[in-house]
Structures are given as structure tokens and as C-alpha cells.
Amino acid sequence: MKIGILGAGHMGGAMIKGWLRSKQVQPKNILVKGGKSGTAEALQAELGFELTQDINDFAKVDVIFLAVSTPLIMPMIEQLKEILIKTNIPLVSVSAGVPIQEMQEVLGEEYPIAHAIPNTPAQINQGITGISFAKKINSDEKKLITTAFEYLGTIMEISESKIGVFGTLAGCGPAFVDIFLDALADGAVLHGLDRETAQTVAAHMVSSAANLMLETGKHPGVLKDEVASPGGTTIKGITALEKEGFRYATINALDTIMKS
């Protein structure tokens, strides 16, 4: 599979790292066009993928990913239009805010388009990607796109009407978890644990707790109750979190993003 990707910022860079880390895609089979920031050049020096400034080079790839910011999606499609119409290469946008229908207005309803929202853990092949497909995409085109994302972690096909909230949860959520991890580590450091140990314990705890939920299929509330013994230390900690509005703050963070 020859992959073309325009944009090598946080998300594009995470995808490139994930593909190479998977060993399923070789550096020579990733073609990247970056912007003016120099990020793509710096990443290329580290990872050895193919770098180009010539948009016409993308006529030689099997699938094209747009990992640029939302305002640049449609201008980039306009730049690629001649190549895309001529080659019919499947096109995937990984930016929020531009629906498939808007892209089809430029490329036509028959064009093989997907709209996907991955997240940054894709760089270690543990991402989760929500993906929607144009109605008329064929099975081979769909398989090509899903295979590329499977190299990066778990994928979920989701209706485009829900991809915004999916992206908020999956895409913004890691930053919320990072704040939680930092705070947990701070609490342990406050009571004498060294910073490195505190961060390692917090990270393993969050990762293992999430995996326990996924593997057992139990509701998180049930798993919480299994730890919170009557009158015990855990329920006292939970009470302190509830007193500070922990649940509401978390729900409100997602709600605020969706309303922005």
C-alpha cells in the first residue's frame, strides 16, 4: 500500500509514526507533503519517509489522507481536484468540521470519500478511529481505507451525524486523561512518592482499569463499586471527587466543546 498524506502536524505525524511502527508500511511507501512550519521536514529526517512539495506526485499513491486543519480541507481538495478526478484515488479527511457532502460538491457523489477522526495514540498503534464512508464507495476502496486505519489501532464505523461527538470524546479525551494523570501523580508526590514512580503508577493504573472494562464488558459503575468497599478508603476518595464536581466537570468539558 502506497499512502499519501498532506499534513504532518500532531495528527498527521501520529499516523505516520503508527504506520511505520506497525511494520506494515515501509518508509518508501509513505509520501508526505507538509506546510510552511517545517514539521514535515523534521519528521522526515527522523523517520525516512518520502517528502514532496509537488502535488502531482500524489497521483502515484493508493490512498490520500488530508491531515490539515479544517479551514484548509476544501482549498486542498481544490488543489488536488484534477489529480483526483483523473485517478479516482480514495480520499480520506481526518479533520473535523467538513462533511462528506461538502467534499462531494467538488468531487461528485460517485467519488470514494471517507471522513475519519483518529486520535494521537495511533502513533503507538493503540488509537481509536471513527470513520464514515460515502454511500457509493465500493468494497475494495472501503477495505483499503479500513486496512490503513487498522494498522493504527481500533476502528469503528459510525454515522457522520455522530462523528463530531465521537471526535470530541476520542480526540480531546486523551488531553483530559493527561490532566487527570498529572493530578494523580501530583497527589502522590505531595505525600512523598517520587515524580517518575508516581507518573508510572498512574499511567499503568489508568491503562489497566480501561482494559479491565473493555475485556470484562462490565459497566464502569460496576467496576467502581467492586473497588469501593463500604466505609473504605476508596469511597472516601470518590466522595471527595463528587464534592468537587468531578463528574459534572467532565461532562461539561465535552458539552462545552460540542457547543463551541
Side-chain angles (χ1 to χ4, degrees):
M1 181 190 302
K2 179 80 171 180
I3 293 171
I5 180 165
L6 293 95
H10 292 303
M11 194 63 254
M15 293 167 67
I16 294 165
K17 290 175 181 177
W19 284 321
L20 295 177
R21 190 176 187 271
S22 74
K23 306 298 184 185
Q24 300 299 313
V25 184
Q26 299 303 309
K28 66 180 181 180
N29 288 326
I30 298 178
L31 178 68
V32 179
K33 183 181 185 301
K36 298 177 181 178
S37 67
T39 304
E41 287 77 6
L43 199 60
Q44 193 269 344
E46 175 188 349
L47 301 176
F49 52 77
E50 298 295 315
L51 192 64
T52 185
Q53 290 301 320
D54 187 353
I55 204 83
N56 294 303
D57 289 341
F58 286 87
K60 303 172 185 177
V61 303
D62 298 311
V63 56
I64 296 175
F65 293 86
L66 298 181
V68 296
S69 62
T70 300
L72 294 178
I73 291 292
M74 295 312 297
M76 193 62 69
I77 289 176
E78 290 287 354
Q79 286 186 46
L80 287 165
K81 182 177 178 180
E82 184 177 345
I83 293 169
L84 295 174
I85 297 298
K86 186 182 296 184
T87 61
N88 212 51
I89 296 170
L91 179 70
V92 186
S93 168
V94 298
S95 296
V98 180
I100 289 172
Q101 183 178 357
E102 189 172 342
M103 292 184 274
Q104 285 178 325
E105 288 174 4
V106 176
L107 300 174
E109 292 187 3
E110 303 289 333
Y111 202 87
I113 299 173
H115 186 192
I117 304 293
N119 62 0
T120 53
Q123 65 191 286
I124 58 167
N125 314 109
Q126 293 182 34
I128 182 164
T129 299
I131 186 166
S132 302
F133 295 97
K135 292 180 180 180
K136 296 185 179 181
I137 194 168
N138 67 44
S139 58
D140 289 339
E141 293 159 343
K142 192 173 181 179
K143 178 63 176 175
L144 181 67
I145 294 167
T146 55
T147 297
F149 280 117
E150 284 169 352
Y151 295 152
L152 305 179
T154 301
I155 63 171
M156 297 179 67
E157 187 169 347
I158 189 165
S159 67
E160 196 170 31
S161 65
K162 303 298 182 186
I163 205 164
V165 65
F166 178 98
T168 299
L169 178 57
C172 302
F176 301 162
V177 174
D178 290 336
I179 292 172
F180 181 50
L181 286 169
D182 194 27
L184 286 171
D186 281 348
V189 170
L190 178 65
H191 288 275
L193 198 61
D194 68 274
R195 172 68 60 183
E196 183 177 356
T197 300
Q199 289 177 342
T200 300
V201 172
H204 278 286
M205 179 277 297
V206 169
S207 175
S208 59
N211 284 332
L212 181 62
M213 187 190 79
L214 290 171
E215 293 192 20
T216 63
K218 291 182 178 180
H219 188 281
V222 172
L223 292 171
K224 177 263 295 179
D225 289 345
E226 290 177 356
V227 182
S229 303
T233 55
T234 302
I235 193 63
K236 292 176 182 177
I238 291 170
T239 301
L241 287 173
E242 295 290 7
K243 183 179 179 181
E244 298 299 328
F246 181 72
R247 283 177 194 261
Y248 175 76
T250 304
I251 295 168
N252 191 44
L254 288 163
D255 188 44
T256 299
I257 294 170
M258 290 302 298
K259 290 177 178 178
S260 64

